[in-house]
Amino acid sequence: MANAERTFIAIKLDGVQRGLVGDNIKRLEQKGFRLVKSEELLKQHYIDLKDHPFYPGLVKYMNSGPVVAMVWEGLNVVQTGRLMLGETNPAEPKPGTIPGDSCIQVGRNVIHGSDSVQSAEKEISLWFKPEELVDHKSCAFDWIDE
Ligand code: DAT
Ligand code: MG
């Protein structure tokens, strides 16, 4: 590919603390730079669906480009995250949910969230080494949680 120079970019702790992660990524996307980091873990990630006819297509699609993998934390984050993510199938849209507002195809539903605390634990350990997960207290914590 032409213009394939690459750089490493990290949003630093003050950017994280100040809630500027999304805005900084948005600026790079808007400029037209391409996100490169790719993970080859998708077969394993979706292994429970291996008997479904859509499994090979799902893995192929998920492996065809970079994925932004994150771990988020907070009160009831698994269940509330799933509510924000809405139905798996965006043909049954719930306006206000992420897929409900951004997609039309079940196989192109933009965002994944673990469906239980147990699968979250499994998925987090598949995608990240324990030492990559930094325990820190956000400066906003006391204004959000108690
Ligand atoms: P979820 O992602 O809501 O946990 P899932 O685990 O059943 O749902 O499915 C995982 C992904 O597989 C889903 O995000 C998109 C794809 N998928 C599910 N059902 C599908 C179908 N009937 N046809 C094509 N892709 C499907
Ligand atoms: Mg699932």
Side-chain angles (χ1 to χ4, degrees), residues 49-121:
L49 301 171
K50 67 178 183 335
D51 297 328
H52 288 272
F54 59 82
Y55 177 73
L58 173 64
V59 172
K60 189 167 170 228
Y61 145 68
M62 291 291 288
N63 264 324
S64 65
V67 170
V68 179
M70 301 172 277
V71 177
W72 289 82
E73 182 180 86
L75 180 67
N76 280 331
V77 69
V78 171
Q79 195 191 1
T80 307
R82 285 292 288 197
L83 288 172
M84 291 168 72
L85 266 50
E87 302 297 320
T88 300
N89 188 348
E92 301 144 25
K94 290 233 172 33
T97 65
I98 298 170
D101 289 346
S102 338
C103 50
I104 50 180
Q105 266 280 9
V106 65
R108 298 289 183 271
N109 60 0
V110 179
I111 185 162
H112 165 82
S114 309
D115 59 16
S116 66
V117 171
Q118 197 190 10
S119 49
E121 282 167 5

Side-chain angles (χ1 to χ4, degrees), residues 13-88:
L13 60 170
D14 47 338
V16 173
Q17 284 285 359
R18 294 177 56 200
L20 298 174
V21 174
D23 185 60
N24 278 281
I25 293 175
K26 182 173 186 290
R27 283 159 179 257
L28 292 159
E29 277 185 312
Q30 199 169 294
K31 181 74 176 162
F33 289 130
R34 302 178 292 271
L35 190 62
V36 172
K37 184 174 185 291
S38 179
E39 301 279 355
E40 297 290 319
L41 306 165
L42 283 312
K43 262 194 180 146
Q44 193 55 36
H45 177 86
Y46 282 125
I47 199 71
D48 293 347
L49 301 171
K50 67 178 183 335
D51 297 328
H52 288 272
F54 59 82
Y55 177 73
L58 173 64
V59 172
K60 189 167 170 228
Y61 145 68
M62 291 291 288
N63 264 324
S64 65
V67 170
V68 179
M70 301 172 277
V71 177
W72 289 82
E73 182 180 86
L75 180 67
N76 280 331
V77 69
V78 171
Q79 195 191 1
T80 307
R82 285 292 288 197
L83 288 172
M84 291 168 72
L85 266 50
E87 302 297 320
T88 300

